[in-house]
């Protein structure tokens, strides 16, 4: 059907005739058969690039999870022989700590949430054929791939990968004499800088695409919330990445060219790096949180068959969160030696961020009110994201209070807190998104039984792993210590260490059903059809999986994305691209 | 539950503990409310045959109030927490009680060089006593410390005193504590400082005030041996490949 030919929609004037569509230069309207290389490797198709990010991110998640398990085995039984690796020494432990954190933030969370979902969803949800700059998009992925090779390669250089922590504070990171590591840290800096460049290119593309290539009739306030959150996350990233890259380049110069940006003997200051790092590092938390929340915002209405509650409130609180995230960074430095008069203002801004985040979470919870909730795996992960993230949210207040932070800073309490703050958006959000959009990505349904096994295993073992760490932290145990028997004055923590290690093992094993489900469903999953969830957003108007170019005909948009169970309508959903009065396609019959 | 925190052994430890429990209580209430409402709604509005959802989009003023009123209450709680936090912080960091004496704490890879001022209570005089990984102070007296680092970042961490402060090369930090309970407490390093970070530890010995004078006299008697500067070589735990000597210029006061 061609919506443009229909009578004007009730809620708005007739959409303009489909204009010549942007982003066509890389692939004209007609598609010739593509070679293997053009199709799977050097693809400019946003969906293929999304899958490249997806598979790279999943692979790196396995690497990061493996590193975590190595640390946990050492902590549960210090000095134990690890099959094939022998007993771990302190330097190796520091390397695993560093590379686990680095991998999970930069090479897992970023590619999965922004690289995969941002790429896949932005053009589809606005009714575009591709990104605004498809070649830049390809360059973004291949820069990221290069950064991945550099990072993984650093394990194999003399001295091994970086042992100086994912925050890479100088002088330890600036001076090979202190860390005993030359090439690992060099390559770490290079890899992080390349990764930043990749996502800067991605971010420019996301923002441009979402603003300029919207389908006829689609106003900014018709954007699904996940796109708003991707846009805000990209803007935060664009504004915060510069200082980090500058800081990293100065660090590299200190290491290689004899400069003294961070060297007090040469007039530099180690604290400068901390400011540059956290000016990026804290907004980065929201770069990861927002897309995770966005996924939840899409899934809750579909599986409770209700509009999202308070679209505008969520939108404004998202923007407020983004703005506030730029003025909280020094809460990472309460004990670092910054001027003590700075503590109160940074405490205030940090704790105030609870208000916009609460607006969003409460709106999500209110979305369930008077709904009709279907517990698909996607919905379970979305609900689990809220339930688990609340733990990370409330414990953040303790860290945000400068005086309380004196005690818990750099203890296991902080480790527990930021895992509870990051695992829900990054992993629960990612899993929810995968179960929800897999049919669109691959054209087949995933298995719900395996999905529920995955959900319950993940949820239980996340808590088995990280709840004991709150207790260890409150007892005063510092993080990044490779032998937990060293500080006997803090009491015996063996039991909690073992519990946390069992939890990590369980968490990793719980991902087996996902991997079986993911790859098995490619072949054996039920064929999905274009709109298996009876959802409103535009991606469900395209075939599953969408072909190169996405839509058979340019869709127009007639309403906001959350029109579920509208009064006076036979179907309980009303796709954005359907003119009023037309029946929805693909109803379950 | 309260015994999760180690024994409180300084004057401000009680204040920090009180703050931690205040915040835990406030956020705990919100946490329980949010989870209970979440799980109640999940249970109450699960899909059931014949029950239709209602179109509620949260755009009416009354519906908006359901969100904004609780969030205003959160804002009020935030301000209470901020005020309580600032009060404790100011007491610890912005007041300057008159000290009984000043000690010096020098962190390096991977040990603490800890200097007592000796009987004259003045640092940088000939009767200073520098010990490796061992600091003696009297209970019930305000002790100032000057914290420095000779190489990388370190962090002075005495859990029982609720005292944590990073040591940054190029800077000298001045802080204070007043220990209230005699005993021996671990001095830990809380900032990743290289390969032997996990074994960088010392002992803080808090004496009754008469016990401190006794210790001082006996330490003074062995002065020639004890006052010798701590060896600048790495402790036995450090691998030989990593030199532990500090470069020059690491201790400039600001």
């Amino acid at each position: 059907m061609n919506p443009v030919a229909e009578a004007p929609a009730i809620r708005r004037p007739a959409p303009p005739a489909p204009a010549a569509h942007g982003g066509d230069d890389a692939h004209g309207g007609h598609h010739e058969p593509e070679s293997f290389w053009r199709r799977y490797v050097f693809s400019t198709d946003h969906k293929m690039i999304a899958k490249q990010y997806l598979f790279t991110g999943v692979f790196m998640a396995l690497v990061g999870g493996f590193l975590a398990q190595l640390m946990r085995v050492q902590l549960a039984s210090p000095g134990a022989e690890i099959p094939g690796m022998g007993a771990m020494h302190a330097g190796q432990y520091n390397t695993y700590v560093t590379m686990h954190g680095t991998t999970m933030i930069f090479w897992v969370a970023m590619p999965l949430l922004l690289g995969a979902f941002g790429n896949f969803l932005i053009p589809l949800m606005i009714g575009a054929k591709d990104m605004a700059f498809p070649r830049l998009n390809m360059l973004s992925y291949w820069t990221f791939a290069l950064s991945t090779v550099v990072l993984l390669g650093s394990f194999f250089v003399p001295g091994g990968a970086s042992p100086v922590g994912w925050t890479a504070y100088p002088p330890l990171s600036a001076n090979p004499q202190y860390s005993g590591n030359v090439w690992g840290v060099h390559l770490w800096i290079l890899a992080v800088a390349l990764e930043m460049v990749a996502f800067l290119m991605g971010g420019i593309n996301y923002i441009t695409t979402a603003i300029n290539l919207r389908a006829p009739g689609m106003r900014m306030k018709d954007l699904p919330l996940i796109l708003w959150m991707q846009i805000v996350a990209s803007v935060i990233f664009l504004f915060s990445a510069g200082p980090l890259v500058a800081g990293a380049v100065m660090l590299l110069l200190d290491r290689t060219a004899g400069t003294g940006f961070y060297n007090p003997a040469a007039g530099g200051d180690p604290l400068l790096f901390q400011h540059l790092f956290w000016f990026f590092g804290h907004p980065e938390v929201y770069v990861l949180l927002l897309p995770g929340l966005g996924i939840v915002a899409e899934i809750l209405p579909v599986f409770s068959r209700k509009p999202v509650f308070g679209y505008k409130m969520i939108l404004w609180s998202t923007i407020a969160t983004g703005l506030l995230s730029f003025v909280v960074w020094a809460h990472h430095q309460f004990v670092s030696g910054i001027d003590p008069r700075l503590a109160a203002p940074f405490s205030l801004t940090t704790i105030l961020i609870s208000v916009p985040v609460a607006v969003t979470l409460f709106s999500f919870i209110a979305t369930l009110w008077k709904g009709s909730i279907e517990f698909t795996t996607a919905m379970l992960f979305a609900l689990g994201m809220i339930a688990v993230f609340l733990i990370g949210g409330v414990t953040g207040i303790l860290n945000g209070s400068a005086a309380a932070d004196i005690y818990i800073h750099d203890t296991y309490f902080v480790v527990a807190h930021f895992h509870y703050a990051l695992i829900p958006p990054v992993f629960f959000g990612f899993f929810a998104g995968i179960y929800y959009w897999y049919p669109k990505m691959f054209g087949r349904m995933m298995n719900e039984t395996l999905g529920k096994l995955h959900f319950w295993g993940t949820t239980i073992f996340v808590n088995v792993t990280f709840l004991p760490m709150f207790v260890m932290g409150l007892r005063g145990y510092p993080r990044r210590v490779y032998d937990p028997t060293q500080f006997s004055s803090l009491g015996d923590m063996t039991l909690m260490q073992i519990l946390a290690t069992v939890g990590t093992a369980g968490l990793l094993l719980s991902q087996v059903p996902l991997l079986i489900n993911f790859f098995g469903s490619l072949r054996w999953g039920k064929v999905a059809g274009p709109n298996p969830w009876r959802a409103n957003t535009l991606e469900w108007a395209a075939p599953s999986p969408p072909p190169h170019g996405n839509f058979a005909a340019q869709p127009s948009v007639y309403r906001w994305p959350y029109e579920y169970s509208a009064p006076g309508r036979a179907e309980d959903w009303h796709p954005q691209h359907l003119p009023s009065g037309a029946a929805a396609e693909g109803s379950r019959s | 539950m309260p015994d999760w925190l180690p024994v409180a052994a300084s004057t401000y430890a009680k204040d920090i503990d009180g703050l931690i429990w205040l915040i835990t209580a406030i956020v705990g209430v919100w946490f329980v409310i949010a989870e209970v409402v979440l799980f109640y709604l999940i249970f109450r509005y699960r899909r059931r045959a014949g029950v239709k959802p209602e179109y509620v989009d949260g755009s009416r003023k009354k519906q908006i109030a359901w969100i904004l009123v609780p969030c205003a209450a959160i804002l009020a709680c935030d301000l209470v927490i901020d005020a309580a936090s600032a009060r404790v912080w100011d007491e610890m960091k912005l007041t300057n009680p008159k000290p009984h004496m000043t000690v010096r704490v020098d962190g390096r890879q991977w040990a603490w060089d800890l200097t007592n001022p000796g009987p004259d209570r003045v640092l940088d005089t000939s009767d200073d006593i520098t010990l490796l990984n061992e600091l003696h102070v009297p209970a019930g007296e305000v002790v100032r410390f000057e914290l420095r680092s000779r190489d990388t970042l370190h962090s002075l961490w005495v859990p029982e005193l609720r005292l944590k402060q990073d040591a940054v090369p190029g800077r000298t930090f001045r802080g204070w504590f007043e220990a209230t309970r005699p005993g021996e407490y671990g001095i830990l390093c809380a900032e990743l400082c290289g390969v032997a970070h996990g074994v960088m530890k010392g002992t803080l010995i808090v004496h009754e005030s008469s016990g401190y004078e006794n210790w001082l006299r006996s330490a003074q008697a062995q002065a020639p041996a004890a006052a010798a500067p701590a060896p600048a070589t790495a402790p036995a735990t450090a691998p030989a490949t990593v030199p532990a000597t500090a470069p020059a210029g690491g201790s400039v006061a600001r």
Side-chain angles (χ1 to χ4, degrees):
Chain A
M1 97 173 44
N2 178 5
V4 181
E6 301 279 341
I10 289 169
R11 283 188 55 201
R12 71 193 60 197
H21 208 54
D24 280 4
D25 53 322
H27 43 78
H30 180 69
H31 302 296
E32 288 162 23
E34 296 158 308
S35 71
F36 172 84
W37 288 94
R38 178 51 73 186
R39 177 152 189 205
Y40 294 106
V41 184
F42 297 108
S43 173
T44 56
D45 179 3
H46 70 103
K47 300 180 294 296
M48 185 53 66
I49 294 170
K51 287 174 191 173
Q52 291 170 333
Y53 270 117
L54 173 69
F55 286 113
T56 315
V58 167
F59 172 74
M60 291 304 281
L62 296 175
V63 172
F66 174 67
L67 294 172
Q69 187 61 28
L70 288 179
M71 282 189 273
R72 289 301 338 162
V73 168
Q74 163 67 17
L75 292 172
S77 52
E81 295 274 331
I82 296 170
M85 300 182 71
M88 188 183 301
H89 62 71
Q92 282 174 313
Y93 181 83
N94 287 351
T95 291
Y96 301 151
V97 168
T98 304
M99 297 305 279
H100 167 74
T102 304
T103 302
M104 287 301 193
I105 298 284
F106 293 119
W107 275 270
V108 176
M110 295 287 285
L112 293 183
L113 292 177
L114 293 145
F117 285 120
N119 260 308
F120 187 78
L121 294 175
I122 290 172
L124 278 169
M125 287 183 130
I126 61 170
K129 291 180 180 175
D130 205 324
M131 284 286 182
F133 312 115
R135 284 166 201 276
L136 187 69
N137 207 15
M138 179 175 81
L139 184 61
S140 159
Y141 173 74
W142 284 104
T143 308
F144 174 71
L146 178 64
S147 77
T148 311
V149 171
V150 173
L151 186 82
L152 292 176
S154 77
F155 278 103
F156 303 101
V157 295
S162 168
V164 298
W166 88 277
T167 51
Y169 281 179
L172 186 64
S173 60
N175 196 334
Q177 186 190 6
Y178 296 144
S179 64
N181 185 300
V182 178
W183 282 100
V185 181
H186 280 351
L187 292 180
W188 183 93
I189 297 170
L190 186 63
V192 169
L194 281 171
E195 198 265 6
M196 297 278 120
V197 171
F199 281 95
L200 284 172
M201 291 190 279
I204 290 167
N205 223 343
Y206 296 176
I207 297 166
T208 314
T209 305
I211 290 177
N212 287 344
L213 299 190
R214 279 168 292 131
M218 187 175 222
R219 302 165 300 186
M220 285 306 276
K221 60 180 177 177
D222 297 323
L223 281 188
L225 282 169
I226 188 174
L227 295 199
W228 271 111
M229 300 220 179
Q230 289 274 352
I231 292 170
V232 175
S234 299
V235 171
I236 297 173
F237 187 78
L238 290 185
F239 280 107
S240 63
L244 178 74
V245 174
V249 169
M250 289 193 279
L251 186 57
L252 199 59
L253 289 174
D254 270 13
R255 291 176 61 83
T256 56
T259 57
F261 293 108
Y262 308 125
N263 178 4
D269 190 342
L271 286 188
L272 171 63
F273 183 84
Q274 298 184 19
H275 286 287
L276 294 171
F277 184 89
W278 290 115
F279 186 82
F280 161 82
H282 203 84
E284 170 72 6
V285 173
Y286 297 92
V287 172
L288 305 179
L289 171 63
L290 293 179
L293 290 175
I295 289 168
V296 174
E298 295 313 309
I299 290 173
L300 291 180
V302 172
F303 296 110
S304 52
R305 311 309 292 171
K306 272 194 65 221
V308 73
F309 189 96
Y311 177 95
K312 278 190 187 163
M313 277 191 292
I314 295 174
L315 174 55
W316 286 111
S317 67
T318 300
I319 291 169
T321 306
L323 289 175
L324 265 177
S325 75
F326 280 97
V327 288
V328 300
W329 80 89
H331 68 218
H332 295 270
Q333 299 169 259
F334 287 143
V335 303
S336 75
I338 56 169
D339 189 317
R341 290 166 298 184
L342 278 176
F346 276 101
S347 253
L348 183 70
T349 52
T350 301
I351 292 177
L352 283 185
I353 230 169
S354 62
V355 174
V357 172
V359 169
T360 301
L361 289 179
F362 289 177
S363 298
F364 284 177
I365 293 173
T367 299
L368 304 172
W369 187 68
K370 297 204 169 171
S372 174
I373 301 169
E374 185 184 359
F375 296 104
T376 58
T377 306
M379 185 64 164
L380 287 175
F381 271 111
L383 295 170
M385 189 274 174
I386 301 171
V388 179
F389 180 71
L390 280 167
I391 302 176
V394 298
T395 51
I397 305 285
L398 276 160
N399 296 289
S401 155
D405 185 63
I406 292 173
Y407 183 69
I408 56 185
H409 186 86
D410 269 334
T411 66
Y412 269 96
F413 189 94
V414 174
V415 177
H417 157 70
F418 67 68
H419 281 89
Y420 270 111
L422 285 170
I423 285 177
V426 174
F427 285 105
F428 282 66
F430 168 71
F431 294 145
I434 277 294
Y435 286 101
Y436 181 64
W437 279 295
Y438 185 94
K440 184 54 61 183
M441 285 184 174
F442 300 101
R444 290 174 186 270
M445 307 298 287
M446 289 178 89
N447 180 293
E448 281 290 318
T449 309
L450 283 171
K452 278 165 187 158
L453 192 64
H454 176 220
F455 168 76
W456 287 110
T458 302
T459 306
I460 290 167
F461 285 114
V462 160
N463 290 297
V464 172
T465 304
F466 294 107
L467 281 179
M469 293 189 194
F470 283 122
V471 184
M472 287 190 267
L474 286 176
R475 282 198 187 177
Y477 209 87
R479 60 194 279 213
R480 293 167 165 170
V481 167
Y482 81 106
D483 180 354
T485 60
Q486 282 297 319
F487 303 115
S488 54
S489 63
L490 299 174
D492 179 14
M493 306 203 191
T494 312
L495 183 64
M496 280 176 286
Q497 293 283 13
I498 290 173
L499 205 56
T501 301
V502 169
T504 319
L507 193 52
L508 285 176
L509 284 177
S510 301
Q511 307 314 308
V512 172
L514 171 70
L515 292 173
I516 294 172
N517 201 352
F518 189 98
F519 290 105
S521 299
L522 286 176
R523 179 148 187 191
W524 293 292
K526 200 174 106 221
V527 173
N531 193 359
W533 311 121
R534 297 170 296 145
N536 286 344
T537 38
L538 282 182
E539 77 273 27
W540 303 106
S544 298
H548 202 161
N550 293 345
F551 297 92
Q554 171 64 56
S556 294
V557 168
Y558 294 87
R559 64 190 59 76
W560 80 323
Y562 303 111
E563 196 77 350
Y564 294 100
S565 303
R569 196 179 149 75
E571 291 104 354
D572 68 352
W573 80 108
H574 203 170
Q576 283 187 283
H577 68 288
L578 279 193
S580 297
E585 293 173 88
S587 57
R588 271 184 199 166
S589 52
Chain B
M1 226 162 85
D3 65 352
W4 283 355
L5 293 172
V7 62
S10 72
T11 47
Y12 46 58
K14 288 193 306 294
D15 301 315
I16 288 199
D17 293 1
L19 182 66
I20 288 175
W21 295 121
L22 171 78
I23 298 173
T24 306
I26 292 175
V27 302
V29 167
W30 283 105
F31 175 72
V32 169
I33 291 173
E35 296 280 6
V36 165
V37 172
L38 173 65
F39 279 96
Y40 169 75
L41 292 177
I42 290 172
F43 175 76
R44 172 72 178 75
Y45 294 105
R46 66 194 187 280
R47 181 155 297 179
R48 284 170 300 176
V51 180
K52 289 201 163 181
E54 274 186 40
Y55 188 91
V56 185
D57 66 0
S59 63
R60 293 197 200 129
K61 276 194 182 139
K62 197 173 152 194
Q63 295 167 352
I64 289 172
W66 294 350
I67 305 296
L68 294 191
V69 169
C71 286
I74 288 181
L75 179 64
C77 290
D78 284 352
L79 296 177
V80 168
I81 291 170
D82 273 316
S85 172
R87 197 183 58 78
V88 177
W89 177 270
D90 289 356
E91 178 206 328
M92 294 174 68
K93 299 284 185 180
L94 297 179
T95 61
N96 227 342
K98 190 171 159 40
H100 174 81
M101 65 173 184
T102 300
V103 299
R104 179 168 295 141
V105 178
D106 287 307
R108 62 178 163 85
Q109 288 183 323
W110 289 277
W112 300 102
D113 295 325
L114 301 159
T115 306
N116 276 70
D120 67 356
R121 293 193 191 171
V122 179
L123 272 179
D124 299 318
T125 53
S126 59
D127 65 346
D128 286 0
I129 302 165
T130 298
L131 296 177
L132 182 66
N133 290 328
E134 196 178 309
L135 181 66
H136 294 256
V137 297
E141 305 275 3
V142 173
V143 177
R144 279 177 62 109
F145 61 87
E146 292 181 6
L147 178 61
R148 306 184 303 193
S149 167
R150 296 189 184 157
D151 37 45
T152 68
L153 300 179
H154 300 280
S155 193
L156 175 68
W157 173 218
V158 186
E160 290 83 357
L161 299 190
R162 311 294 187 260
L163 167 65
K164 190 183 287 130
Q165 174 63 56
D166 285 8
V168 180
R171 295 186 179 213
T172 300
F173 292 108
R174 293 177 178 82
W176 65 274
F177 60 87
E178 182 184 335
T180 52
R181 287 172 58 113
E184 293 193 10
Y185 308 107
I187 300 175
L188 288 56
C189 178
E191 189 65 75
L192 181 63
C193 61
V195 66
H197 161 63
V199 293
M200 177 167 168
K201 53 183 179 177
T203 308
L204 174 73
I205 296 144
V206 178
H207 297 273
E208 307 276 5
S209 60
S210 59
Y212 178 75
E213 299 302 328
N214 291 339
W215 167 79
L216 203 56
R217 272 194 295 277
S218 68
Q220 205 61 25
Q222 320 160 11
T233 50
T237 46
T241 50
V242 184
T245 47
S251 306
V252 186
R254 289 223 172 172

